[in-house]
Amino acid sequence: MRKVSIYQNIKENNLNRLLLLVGKYSNRMSFARYYEGKLTEEEFNQLQMEYKASILEEDKKNRLHYKENVNGYRDRINNFCRTDMNVEEYAEKYFNRLLEQDIMSCNLNYERFENGKYESYKRTSADFLYVKYTRKTPVTRGPVFEMCFFMIGETYRKLLLNMNKLFEFPYQIEGGEFEDLTFYIEERLLLAICSHERFAYMNLEDDEYQEFLKLDILSDFTER
């Protein structure tokens, strides 16, 4: 599996070719927006539990990547260590501090969701699949997001016609404004776009990666 990070704001024909490629392999896509609507207490507690679990999983992964020096991760962190400190102790404090900050971000008051400010997505598109409430999209964290999932169908075809640049914002979906466009192959994320931060990334199998290279559309990307 190859991860390709994209920082170039691909446009016009190159963008169309990229979207056609991901549409060819994907079976789902999603958009997200900040949600200030109504949630049941059960829904709220569930997303809080999932968010904390994702933080703990990310902490575990980061510590493992440090230990194995994945993509020079340990070297980069150790470079910040003062000469009078033990690098292992510094790294432990570094990860503990990050974890503490992330755990503190879990704090969220349910009262703001007892009486929501607006309705959830109306679910009128024929290719609509389901809504998921979460505090973490594939590209960002926040209070609560409403992620709307669609089959590759009419909404995707409208996207091909109306999307002019990779880092477009917002996406107009039936009168609502969304962001964080993401394509999936079953449970695998294929392409995720964070327009307001101007970055995107892809997870590609070897055959998909070779087809991606044949597009010859990128001059500013990294891979690992």
Side-chain angles (χ1 to χ4, degrees), residues 71-98:
N71 297 316
Y73 189 43
R74 182 176 64 229
D75 295 336
R76 293 196 300 275
I77 291 177
N78 288 352
N79 283 339
F80 290 101
C81 179
R82 300 198 311 264
T83 55
D84 62 335
M85 294 182 66
N86 177 283
V87 293
E88 297 297 333
E89 291 180 358
Y90 172 80
E92 182 68 17
K93 290 181 179 179
Y94 171 80
F95 286 118
N96 288 345
R97 184 169 64 252
L98 286 182

Short mmCIF file of all heavy atoms in Angstrom, two decimals, residues 71-98:
data_model
loop_
_atom_site.label_atom_id
_atom_site.label_comp_id
_atom_site.label_asym_id
_atom_site.label_seq_id
_atom_site.Cartn_x
_atom_site.Cartn_y
_atom_site.Cartn_z
N ASN A 71 9.52 6.28 8.45
CA ASN A 71 9.74 7.52 7.69
C ASN A 71 10.54 8.57 8.47
O ASN A 71 10.32 9.77 8.35
CB ASN A 71 8.41 8.14 7.26
CG ASN A 71 7.63 7.24 6.33
OD1 ASN A 71 8.21 6.66 5.41
ND2 ASN A 71 6.34 7.11 6.57
N GLY A 72 11.49 8.08 9.31
CA GLY A 72 12.34 8.99 10.06
C GLY A 72 11.64 9.71 11.20
O GLY A 72 12.13 10.74 11.69
N TYR A 73 10.51 9.15 11.68
CA TYR A 73 9.71 9.80 12.72
C TYR A 73 10.52 10.00 14.01
O TYR A 73 10.50 11.07 14.61
CB TYR A 73 8.46 8.96 12.97
CG TYR A 73 7.43 9.60 13.87
CD1 TYR A 73 7.09 10.95 13.75
CD2 TYR A 73 6.76 8.84 14.83
CE1 TYR A 73 6.13 11.53 14.55
CE2 TYR A 73 5.80 9.41 15.64
CZ TYR A 73 5.48 10.75 15.51
OH TYR A 73 4.54 11.33 16.32
N ARG A 74 11.23 8.96 14.44
CA ARG A 74 12.02 9.06 15.67
C ARG A 74 13.12 10.11 15.51
O ARG A 74 13.36 10.91 16.42
CB ARG A 74 12.66 7.70 16.02
CG ARG A 74 13.46 7.73 17.33
CD ARG A 74 13.99 6.37 17.70
NE ARG A 74 14.94 5.90 16.71
CZ ARG A 74 14.89 4.69 16.15
NH1 ARG A 74 13.93 3.84 16.48
NH2 ARG A 74 15.80 4.32 15.28
N ASP A 75 13.76 10.14 14.36
CA ASP A 75 14.83 11.11 14.14
C ASP A 75 14.32 12.54 14.24
O ASP A 75 14.97 13.40 14.84
CB ASP A 75 15.47 10.89 12.76
CG ASP A 75 16.17 9.54 12.65
OD1 ASP A 75 16.56 9.00 13.71
OD2 ASP A 75 16.31 9.05 11.51
N ARG A 76 13.14 12.79 13.66
CA ARG A 76 12.60 14.14 13.68
C ARG A 76 12.27 14.59 15.11
O ARG A 76 12.54 15.73 15.49
CB ARG A 76 11.35 14.24 12.80
CG ARG A 76 11.64 14.07 11.32
CD ARG A 76 10.46 14.56 10.48
NE ARG A 76 9.24 13.85 10.76
CZ ARG A 76 8.89 12.70 10.18
NH1 ARG A 76 9.70 12.12 9.30
NH2 ARG A 76 7.75 12.11 10.47
N ILE A 77 11.69 13.69 15.91
CA ILE A 77 11.34 14.04 17.29
C ILE A 77 12.61 14.22 18.12
O ILE A 77 12.74 15.19 18.89
CB ILE A 77 10.43 12.96 17.90
CG1 ILE A 77 9.06 13.00 17.22
CG2 ILE A 77 10.29 13.17 19.41
CD1 ILE A 77 8.12 11.92 17.69
N ASN A 78 13.57 13.33 17.95
CA ASN A 78 14.79 13.41 18.74
C ASN A 78 15.59 14.68 18.43
O ASN A 78 16.35 15.17 19.28
CB ASN A 78 15.67 12.19 18.49
CG ASN A 78 15.09 10.94 19.13
OD1 ASN A 78 14.13 11.00 19.89
ND2 ASN A 78 15.67 9.79 18.82
N ASN A 79 15.42 15.23 17.23
CA ASN A 79 16.13 16.45 16.88
C ASN A 79 15.72 17.64 17.74
O ASN A 79 16.46 18.62 17.88
CB ASN A 79 15.90 16.80 15.40
CG ASN A 79 16.72 15.94 14.46
OD1 ASN A 79 17.73 15.35 14.86
ND2 ASN A 79 16.29 15.83 13.22
N PHE A 80 14.52 17.56 18.35
CA PHE A 80 14.04 18.63 19.22
C PHE A 80 14.52 18.47 20.66
O PHE A 80 14.32 19.37 21.48
CB PHE A 80 12.51 18.68 19.20
CG PHE A 80 11.94 19.16 17.90
CD1 PHE A 80 11.42 18.26 16.98
CD2 PHE A 80 11.92 20.52 17.58
CE1 PHE A 80 10.90 18.70 15.76
CE2 PHE A 80 11.40 20.97 16.38
CZ PHE A 80 10.89 20.06 15.46
N CYS A 81 15.14 17.34 20.95
CA CYS A 81 15.59 17.06 22.32
C CYS A 81 16.82 17.89 22.66
O CYS A 81 17.78 17.95 21.88
CB CYS A 81 15.88 15.57 22.47
SG CYS A 81 16.45 15.10 24.12
N ARG A 82 16.82 18.52 23.85
CA ARG A 82 17.99 19.27 24.29
C ARG A 82 19.14 18.32 24.59
O ARG A 82 18.94 17.16 24.95
CB ARG A 82 17.67 20.09 25.55
CG ARG A 82 16.56 21.11 25.38
CD ARG A 82 16.62 22.14 26.50
NE ARG A 82 16.72 21.51 27.81
CZ ARG A 82 15.67 21.27 28.60
NH1 ARG A 82 14.45 21.59 28.20
NH2 ARG A 82 15.83 20.71 29.78
N THR A 83 20.35 18.82 24.47
CA THR A 83 21.54 17.96 24.65
C THR A 83 21.67 17.44 26.06
O THR A 83 22.34 16.43 26.29
CB THR A 83 22.81 18.74 24.27
OG1 THR A 83 22.87 19.95 25.06
CG2 THR A 83 22.82 19.10 22.79
N ASP A 84 21.02 18.09 27.04
CA ASP A 84 21.14 17.65 28.42
C ASP A 84 20.03 16.67 28.82
O ASP A 84 19.92 16.31 29.99
CB ASP A 84 21.13 18.85 29.37
CG ASP A 84 19.83 19.64 29.28
OD1 ASP A 84 19.16 19.57 28.23
OD2 ASP A 84 19.48 20.31 30.28
N MET A 85 19.22 16.23 27.86
CA MET A 85 18.11 15.34 28.15
C MET A 85 18.33 13.97 27.51
O MET A 85 18.99 13.85 26.48
CB MET A 85 16.78 15.93 27.64
CG MET A 85 16.35 17.19 28.33
SD MET A 85 14.74 17.77 27.71
CE MET A 85 13.65 16.47 28.27
N ASN A 86 17.76 12.96 28.15
CA ASN A 86 17.75 11.62 27.57
C ASN A 86 16.66 11.57 26.49
O ASN A 86 15.52 11.95 26.75
CB ASN A 86 17.47 10.59 28.67
CG ASN A 86 17.37 9.18 28.15
OD1 ASN A 86 16.37 8.81 27.56
ND2 ASN A 86 18.43 8.41 28.35
N VAL A 87 17.00 11.12 25.29
CA VAL A 87 16.05 11.17 24.18
C VAL A 87 14.82 10.32 24.44
O VAL A 87 13.70 10.68 24.04
CB VAL A 87 16.72 10.77 22.85
CG1 VAL A 87 17.77 11.80 22.43
CG2 VAL A 87 17.34 9.39 22.93
N GLU A 88 14.98 9.18 25.11
CA GLU A 88 13.84 8.31 25.38
C GLU A 88 12.88 8.97 26.38
O GLU A 88 11.66 8.90 26.22
CB GLU A 88 14.32 6.96 25.92
CG GLU A 88 15.16 6.15 24.95
CD GLU A 88 14.39 5.78 23.70
OE1 GLU A 88 13.15 5.66 23.77
OE2 GLU A 88 15.02 5.58 22.64
N GLU A 89 13.46 9.63 27.39
CA GLU A 89 12.61 10.33 28.36
C GLU A 89 11.90 11.51 27.70
O GLU A 89 10.73 11.78 27.98
CB GLU A 89 13.47 10.83 29.53
CG GLU A 89 13.99 9.71 30.42
CD GLU A 89 14.82 10.25 31.56
OE1 GLU A 89 15.01 11.49 31.63
OE2 GLU A 89 15.28 9.43 32.38
N TYR A 90 12.62 12.21 26.81
CA TYR A 90 12.02 13.32 26.10
C TYR A 90 10.85 12.84 25.25
O TYR A 90 9.77 13.45 25.24
CB TYR A 90 13.05 13.99 25.20
CG TYR A 90 12.46 15.04 24.28
CD1 TYR A 90 12.18 16.31 24.74
CD2 TYR A 90 12.16 14.73 22.95
CE1 TYR A 90 11.61 17.27 23.91
CE2 TYR A 90 11.59 15.68 22.10
CZ TYR A 90 11.33 16.94 22.60
OH TYR A 90 10.76 17.87 21.77
N ALA A 91 11.05 11.72 24.53
CA ALA A 91 9.99 11.18 23.67
C ALA A 91 8.78 10.76 24.50
O ALA A 91 7.63 11.01 24.10
CB ALA A 91 10.52 10.00 22.86
N GLU A 92 9.02 10.15 25.65
CA GLU A 92 7.92 9.72 26.51
C GLU A 92 7.10 10.92 26.97
O GLU A 92 5.85 10.91 26.94
CB GLU A 92 8.47 8.96 27.71
CG GLU A 92 7.41 8.42 28.66
CD GLU A 92 6.58 7.30 28.06
OE1 GLU A 92 7.00 6.71 27.04
OE2 GLU A 92 5.51 7.01 28.61
N LYS A 93 7.78 11.99 27.40
CA LYS A 93 7.08 13.20 27.82
C LYS A 93 6.33 13.83 26.65
O LYS A 93 5.23 14.36 26.80
CB LYS A 93 8.08 14.20 28.41
CG LYS A 93 8.65 13.76 29.75
CD LYS A 93 9.62 14.80 30.29
CE LYS A 93 10.17 14.38 31.65
NZ LYS A 93 11.15 15.38 32.18
N TYR A 94 6.96 13.79 25.47
CA TYR A 94 6.34 14.36 24.27
C TYR A 94 5.02 13.66 23.95
O TYR A 94 3.98 14.32 23.76
CB TYR A 94 7.32 14.22 23.10
CG TYR A 94 6.74 14.56 21.75
CD1 TYR A 94 6.62 15.89 21.34
CD2 TYR A 94 6.33 13.55 20.87
CE1 TYR A 94 6.10 16.21 20.09
CE2 TYR A 94 5.79 13.86 19.63
CZ TYR A 94 5.69 15.19 19.25
OH TYR A 94 5.16 15.50 18.01
N PHE A 95 5.03 12.33 23.93
CA PHE A 95 3.81 11.58 23.60
C PHE A 95 2.77 11.70 24.72
O PHE A 95 1.56 11.76 24.44
CB PHE A 95 4.14 10.12 23.32
CG PHE A 95 4.81 9.90 22.00
CD1 PHE A 95 6.09 9.37 21.93
CD2 PHE A 95 4.18 10.23 20.81
CE1 PHE A 95 6.72 9.18 20.71
CE2 PHE A 95 4.79 10.05 19.59
CZ PHE A 95 6.07 9.51 19.54
N ASN A 96 3.22 11.71 25.97
CA ASN A 96 2.27 11.87 27.08
C ASN A 96 1.58 13.22 27.02
O ASN A 96 0.38 13.32 27.31
CB ASN A 96 2.99 11.71 28.41
CG ASN A 96 3.40 10.27 28.69
OD1 ASN A 96 2.92 9.34 28.04
ND2 ASN A 96 4.31 10.08 29.63
N ARG A 97 2.33 14.26 26.66
CA ARG A 97 1.74 15.60 26.57
C ARG A 97 0.72 15.68 25.44
O ARG A 97 -0.37 16.24 25.61
CB ARG A 97 2.85 16.63 26.35
CG ARG A 97 2.36 18.08 26.36
CD ARG A 97 3.50 19.07 26.40
NE ARG A 97 4.33 18.99 25.20
CZ ARG A 97 5.56 18.48 25.15
NH1 ARG A 97 6.11 18.00 26.27
NH2 ARG A 97 6.24 18.44 24.04
N LEU A 98 1.05 15.08 24.29
CA LEU A 98 0.11 15.06 23.18
C LEU A 98 -1.16 14.30 23.55
O LEU A 98 -2.27 14.74 23.23
CB LEU A 98 0.75 14.41 21.95
CG LEU A 98 1.79 15.22 21.18
CD1 LEU A 98 2.26 14.43 19.96
CD2 LEU A 98 1.22 16.56 20.74
#
